[in-house]
Amino acid sequence: MDISDLSKIILMPHVSEKSVMIADNVKQQTFKVAQNATKAEVKEAIEKLFEVDVVNVNILNVTGKQKVFGRTRGKRKNYKKAYVTLKDGQDIDLGGAS
């Protein structure tokens, strides 16, 4: 796969309290991925983009919440999230701090 194809699969890292806790305790990274991405594609993309060894990939579909904004009702977008387990001793630095 080409680098441009890989960046279409991995949209962005998903940063929340839960994802940071999982990264510290279980050594899993969380990413938002394309709606049509498969586990094999996510694994290949992570390994090539970040040059790490991926042990396991778990994918789940997140349904957007129904929200009310004043008098109007709305809905947040649905998205797909991937939990990526890395080999022991490897890490992905998403913060960019040196």
Side-chain angles (χ1 to χ4, degrees):
M1 291 184 112
D2 190 20
I3 293 290
S4 61
D5 295 336
L6 298 177
S7 61
K8 290 178 185 173
I9 294 172
I10 307 297
L11 301 178
M12 67 172 148
H14 182 77
V15 181
S16 64
E17 287 183 34
K18 180 180 177 182
S19 66
V20 171
M21 184 180 66
I22 289 174
D24 290 341
N25 297 337
V26 190
K27 306 299 184 220
Q28 285 184 341
Q29 299 293 326
T30 310
F31 295 93
K32 283 188 181 179
V33 296
Q35 285 286 355
N36 60 352
T38 63
K39 288 183 179 186
E41 291 173 340
V42 170
K43 180 178 179 176
E44 182 181 358
I46 294 293
E47 286 178 342
K48 288 187 178 179
L49 285 174
F50 297 106
E51 298 175 358
V52 294
D53 294 324
V54 175
V55 176
N56 190 20
V57 176
N58 294 324
I59 292 184
L60 62 112
N61 289 308
V62 180
T63 306
K65 293 180 178 180
Q66 297 286 333
K67 300 300 267 184
V68 178
F69 302 102
R71 294 183 186 174
T72 20
R73 301 186 124 209
K75 181 180 178 291
R76 292 186 182 165
K77 291 184 179 180
N78 299 335
Y79 62 94
K80 190 177 255 192
K81 186 164 53 169
Y83 291 102
V84 179
T85 306
L86 302 176
K87 196 173 192 181
D88 287 339
Q90 294 187 344
D91 192 23
I92 297 175
D93 183 24
L94 298 174
S98 11

